[in-house]
Amino acid sequence: MKRLRTQVGIVGAGPAGLLLGHLLHLRGIDSIVLEDRSREYVIGRVRAGVLEQSTVDLLVSVGLGQRLQREGMRHGAIQLCFLRRRHRIDFEELTPGRFITVYGQNELVTDLIAARRATGRPLHFSVRDLHIADFDSAPRIGFQTEEDECEVACDFIAGCDGGHGVCRPSILTDHAGVVRVYEREYPFAWLGILAQASPSCEELVYALHDRGFALFSMRSPSITRLYLQCAPDENIKNWPDDRIWHELTARFDTADAWSPNRGAILQKGISAMHSLVVEPMRCGRLFLAGDAAHIVPPTGAKGLNLAVADVWVLAHALSAYYHEEREDLLEHYSDRCLRRVWAVQRFSWWMTSMLHLAPGGSDFDYRRQLADLDYVTTSRAAMTSLAENYTGLPLDSGSLPSES
Ligand code: APR
Ligand code: PHB
């Protein structure tokens, strides 16, 4: 058994785990990052791609913004499309100085891996049989590499292993009475595609149509990213390319004849829609961050940004522990994050409910959704609320009422 020692053992090399490793490195705190998939798999994974203003500001401030600022696509608005018309929600006017930046999650993860390598600090891919133990006293992480059976002893474990990892289940099994899981399943899913087609609009377009939801997004000046609402148990085999284009064109039917450019479909997949929150996000010396602690439906483009917000709070708390012998920020970690988590859950649920057709929904529901869209595209107060939440709440919005 190869025995290792570090201050913070980080499980998962997604945005949460890698960014935490970087923030701790900048504060001279040791860590090891352990990932069970290969590097190629992790950077090849097609996922979300919208960064909030606060996320971009943080990444730039910690030296991770070069490629993002060069290749990211900064948007000053999004569009809502319904009843054959598109309506702009103008961030520049409503929330001056707060934009979104379109930059694929896999591009960000590629940058984070390069930054980790540059620090020389340990990052292991393709580890096997990873398991955690004694995280309420003397945390240990066991894992296998090609060569060795290893165990790393650490002061703390950061569970950044996403929605299908081992850290959340470990708490649920070993400390069932301590945690509570809040969950909501949505009766629809998203069929997403990447297309070799130049984006025919410079902004994201969210559409509600009586055939269902559709989303127009992008990855670069030559790659369009599109989604459409489908059944939760949909089989991708039932969606040949021309059917996908036919459905997208139908749902983006607009009076000004705008529609997405077509091109070769490079990738397609179906992703489930659900909301989940684990409370508390801490158990002893194990701290959950990102998708390991909470899942949001992608309609508000919040998953990645929420993971960033968690590790920003956690890095601060760990730095205060090691450099100022303070335990209070670690004590407050869960409550601080959960205040923001629920604010983001509310916004993501609202966007999802306003823009999707619920199976079995009535005409009344559809007319009410249209009225919701009419209100949010005509009332300045409602527009500003959407813009404020979409561009992202400031990172310290998690500060506890007692602290503000
Ligand atoms: N051992 C080691 N690594 C693991 C294990 C395990 N048992 N289980 C999962 N992992 C890894 C996954 O392979 C993945 O690379 O943990 C990582 C978790 O990363 P993400 O799922 O990207 O989660 P997170 O970092 O919290 O980022 C969350 O980013 O992709 C967006 O929308 C997505 O909301 C999500 C956000
Ligand atoms: C994406 O570009 O992948 C994207 C954009 C907005 C969302 C979700 C995903 O709400």
Side-chain angles (χ1 to χ4, degrees), residues 6-60:
T6 189
Q7 292 175 300
V8 183
I10 301 174
V11 183
L18 290 164
L19 181 58
L20 177 63
H22 189 74
L23 297 176
L24 294 178
H25 164 71
L26 294 178
R27 290 170 172 83
I29 299 170
D30 287 343
S31 65
I32 183 171
V33 180
L34 303 166
E35 165 63 48
D36 67 352
R37 309 304 292 260
S38 69
R39 179 182 171 283
E40 293 61 39
Y41 179 89
V42 166
I43 60 177
R45 215 169 14 204
V46 177
R47 299 185 74 193
V50 170
L51 306 183
E52 292 174 350
Q53 188 65 46
S54 312
T55 297
V56 172
D57 295 346
L58 173 63
L59 293 170
V60 170

Side-chain angles (χ1 to χ4, degrees), residues 12 14-16 35-37 45 47 105 160-162 165-166 290-291 303-304:
E35 165 63 48
D36 67 352
R37 309 304 292 260
R45 215 169 14 204
R47 299 185 74 193
Q105 186 226 335
C160 302
D161 51 348
V166 295
D291 278 17
L304 174 58

Side-chain angles (χ1 to χ4, degrees), residues 224-280:
T224 299
R225 177 81 165 139
L226 293 146
Y227 300 92
L228 48 81
Q229 170 185 352
C230 63
D233 56 358
E234 189 67 61
N235 181 337
I236 195 78
K237 291 200 181 67
N238 301 335
W239 286 87
D241 296 3
D242 55 8
R243 181 184 175 199
I244 293 174
W245 287 119
H246 171 76
E247 199 54 43
L248 285 166
T249 308
R251 296 185 193 186
F252 283 120
D253 167 34
T254 53
D256 62 1
W258 169 82
S259 70
N261 290 337
R262 296 188 180 201
I265 294 183
L266 307 171
Q267 180 269 353
K268 57 178 143 179
I270 291 179
S271 46
M273 306 265 291
H274 76 282
S275 291
L276 176 141
V277 179
V278 174
E279 282 192 17

Side-chain angles (χ1 to χ4, degrees), residues 1 92 112 115 134 141 169 177 254 285 288 312 351 356 358 390 401:
M1 170 75 79
E92 282 173 289
L112 288 165
D134 301 336
I141 307 174
T254 53
R285 291 174 160 264
L288 300 181
W312 184 78
M351 286 281 280
H356 290 75
Y390 198 91

